Amino acid sequence: MEFSVLADAFERMESTTKRNELTQILIALFEQMPRDVVARAVYLLQGKIRPDFEGVELGVAEKLAIRALSKSSGVPTRRIEDQYRKDGDLGRASIDIMGQKTQTTFFVQDITVERVYETLFKIARLEGARSQDMKSRYISSLLNDARPAEAGYILKILLGTLRFGIAENTIMDALAAAFTGDKANRGAVERAYNVSSDLGAVAEAIAADGLEGAGRFKAEPFRPIRPMLAERVKSEEDAISKMGAGLAAEYKLDGERVQVHMSGKRVEIFSRRLENITAHYPDIVERLPQDVSADEAILEAEAVAVNEKTGEFLPFQELMHRRRKHKIEKAVSEYPVAVNFFDILYLDGKSCLEAPYTERRAMLEDAVTEGERVRCVVMATIASAQEMSEFMENAINAGSEGLMLKMPDAAYLAGARGSNWLKLKKEYRNELGDSLDLVVVGGFFGKGRRTGIYGTLLLAAYDDQLDTFPSVCKVGTGFTDEELDRLYQILHPKVTIRRNPRIDSTMEAEVWFEPELVIETVASEITLSPVHRAAWDAVRKDAGLALRFPKYTGRTRDEKPPESASTTREIVSLYRSQKKTPHAG
Ligand code: ATP
């Protein structure tokens, strides 16, 4: 398929902010696409080459892209840099530059999606001394044959700045409509995606075989499964009234969620965001085949840093040492971890996802050989709020942050946040100390010592009905100077020229960010707001909800994708619950 068809669709997508229009453009695009191009197009639409868990990254530096552009266009690098400064985006600048091309090409070959994809794939795989040269050559060869608009998109993909704000949900809607004839089949597409974490592969299968293709996806080792998530609950009483007596409670440990896949001696580990983090835990990899008696398994655990001498749990931050690229052996011996298994998703050829919690727990206990640093998370069956309080007390004393409460008869719902898992944290008991995980969507520059970096951030919640990020507060307290520097480094590359259409804000930020970074905040209360858009019209007409006196806790939640931030529904329920307690506001 000609790349120009994709580039045209990209262009139309860039000029709309309406989800419905985006979906229509995508449906039309998928419908005219040859089947064997669908997977590649889906990756490119997300600015990717392969699913995240494969870790194939383009990683092309701006300098290199500028050199390649100069070579193809004959325009000197200095002029390209000037244009870039003017446009603020190298993709856009390249459209202008290619328009002024001084070198004439006598024969322009139409470039295809296949060719662009294969070339990008080759670029991503290049390593070693001569790789920069080779990359530059590959890029130029594509640009030589590209029309200006196509060149712009190729560069944006290469630099990782292709951003239409299309959510996975929108792509899934469009896939369902285009290949099964009905958007209502989104659920089946989503189920396939939840167990495979590979939207390209799912797209290809349904393009070929419709719903039957989607039905073929099953849990299998080395394909990460999208994690099941919990809703928060405020008190023991609430939990009992939601789940009934006889629920299962487990310690909620404060570490890193790891999804461990094994087959014989081969072990791979995925993070909560489904990145391959096997290299962070060589100790788990080494001992897993002895710890788990199975030929093949997928298990979930919380890896928690422990004090080497006493075995006590240490705070989550200590796990940062495991993220080092070099000298990982040193981190492994200085910062040992305990592996606390809490679920089993696959065992010896069979998916366990459909089995109820109690059965999965029994299989887990059977499979795991407990040892000094390996155990199944502490669990108890709870009959009353009183019993839950006592268990919570034990959990906190043992260094946990609270309890996870699980419906005994519920299956594992991959990729979903629902009421079959609840979390009760000690901080939820204190109305004013409630912490929320919010998405950084905008920034304002600071003054004085903070000139040149962002001093105040605009934060948003996640609206899981609309799939948007409505603003909920501005936060400027709780930051040390060092932390503001660090946040600047993280946020600066996420600056976008236009506001991402998924951000819902009437407030104008000085700079807009791609909604990616999640940070933890506390606030004194939740109030009605005429400005902030979270839960707009939900509590009162023409009003949203906002945090009052928000403060950053100092913790970025790098392991959380933005769709896992606190939802507007949670904020509404916090707002309603604080109304009932007289001291809260
Ligand atoms: P949080 O901010 O509370 O860590 P989250 O969005 O990462 O939340 P949730 O599903 O809402 O994820 O909360 C459960 C999280 O708690 C898991 O992601 C996991 O990392 C951690 N956890 C600790 N102990 C357990 C347990 N026993 N069962 C399940 N998850 C546990």
Side-chain angles (χ1 to χ4, degrees), residues 228-230 250-253 256-257 272 302 342 377 401 404 406 417 421 423 425 428 437 557 560 564:
M228 176 163 177
L229 300 170
E250 296 175 353
Y251 285 7
K252 183 179 194 308
L253 303 165
E256 176 168 31
R257 183 176 192 159
R272 184 188 180 296
E302 192 80 0
F342 61 80
V377 123
E401 45 172 11
M404 292 294 298
K406 301 183 176 176
R417 192 183 290 283
W421 279 18
K423 54 183 173 182
K425 289 203 213 176
Y428 296 167
D437 293 324
R557 304 291 317 251
K560 280 200 169 184
S564 290

Side-chain angles (χ1 to χ4, degrees), residues 16 72 103 108 123 144 179 242 364 391 397 420 436 452 457 478 485 577:
T16 179
S72 299
Q103 290 177 350
V108 179
I123 291 173
N144 280 343
F179 298 125
K242 284 202 166 119
L364 181 71
F391 193 57
N397 290 339
N420 285 328
L436 291 167
L457 303 176
D485 279 339
S577 62

Side-chain angles (χ1 to χ4, degrees), residues 251-254 313 394-403 426:
Y251 285 7
K252 183 179 194 308
L253 303 165
D254 188 18
F313 290 151
N394 295 343
I396 304 293
N397 290 339
S400 310
E401 45 172 11
L403 296 179
K426 60 176 181 226

